Amino acid sequence: RIGERVVGRVLPEQVLLHVMEQRLIGHMLLKTQNNKTRAAEKLGISLRTLRNKLRAYRGAGLDTAKPETWVS
């Protein structure tokens, strides 16, 4: 089932959702010329949520100032 954890492992559906979310955020940042306020509004999330997600992406090694480098 989607969202279900199996003894500490992440299921493929969860990874896919995470990647899709990351790409959607990246595309919206590109579309808004990296304007985080507008991107958050268009995504229907709070600016704080967007900033938290970007902080997590930075922690994973992505250059969040340049979404074109991690959006495929």
Side-chain angles (χ1 to χ4, degrees):
R1 292 187 183 130
I2 295 175
E4 183 179 330
R5 292 202 176 261
V6 178
V7 193
R9 292 189 339 217
V10 178
L11 295 176
E13 295 90 351
Q14 291 172 306
V15 173
L16 179 61
L17 182 59
H18 173 74
V19 170
M20 289 173 58
E21 177 186 72
Q22 186 176 318
R23 288 181 182 165
L24 180 60
I25 288 172
H27 282 293
M28 196 56 65
L29 287 169
L30 289 173
K31 187 173 183 174
T32 62
Q33 298 174 339
N34 219 24
N35 183 314
K36 292 172 185 62
T37 301
R38 283 196 357 228
E41 288 172 358
K42 289 182 177 286
L43 290 165
I45 60 176
S46 70
L47 181 56
R48 171 176 249 161
T49 296
L50 178 59
R51 287 181 177 159
N52 288 340
K53 290 183 180 294
L54 292 173
R55 185 179 315 118
Y57 298 162
R58 277 192 302 277
L62 297 177
D63 183 356
T64 57
K66 298 179 183 176
E68 64 275 6
T69 63
W70 48 274
V71 173
S72 55

